[in-house]
Amino acid sequence: MTVQRILDTQLSPERAFVKPDAKIREALNVLADNNVGALIVSTDGDQVVGIISERDIVRGLQKAGDGLLEKPVRDLMTEKVVTCVATDRAASIMATMVAKHMRHMPVLADGKFVSMISIRDLLQLRLNEVQSEADAMRSYIAGNG
């Protein structure tokens, strides 16, 4: 299974982003408005220059207090963003996300941002795969296969 399988199930691609100069407060609004846990940081919505998550903001608030809300996103974002492409194996991406303690990963096509996948997306894909295998096995055992 590849990342494309997840992209095919998304009703609309998760393309929410925030600009590097935006205030952290604005990033919180974009996160809430889009009901997502992470945003790419981009000047144009295509080129990924960073990523910022709810977790980043919560930890930043714990360290810096509410003054953090008026600072620019670039001060808190992660600059070295791990990304994937649609043809990557879902199992490999899941292993990377677990190993690096990541919950979200941008998907790129031709170097441009197309969507965000989450560990939840990968777990759901795997669960569906296991269910399909179990159903096929039951059918085979029952003589219907």
Side-chain angles (χ1 to χ4, degrees), residues 15-73:
R15 290 200 26 89
F17 74 97
V18 65
K19 293 187 175 192
D21 293 333
K23 303 278 189 240
I24 298 293
R25 180 180 311 280
E26 294 171 55
L28 282 171
N29 290 332
V30 176
L31 286 163
D33 290 348
N34 289 278
N35 195 29
V36 294
L39 302 168
I40 67 153
V41 181
S42 176
T43 57
D44 61 4
D46 288 330
Q47 301 303 313
V48 177
V49 298
I51 190 168
I52 189 163
S53 69
E54 294 168 326
R55 181 187 284 181
D56 296 330
I57 295 170
V58 168
R59 288 184 175 163
L61 285 167
Q62 191 271 331
K63 288 180 185 174
D66 62 0
L68 177 79
L69 297 174
E70 298 308 316
K71 293 191 179 215
V73 167

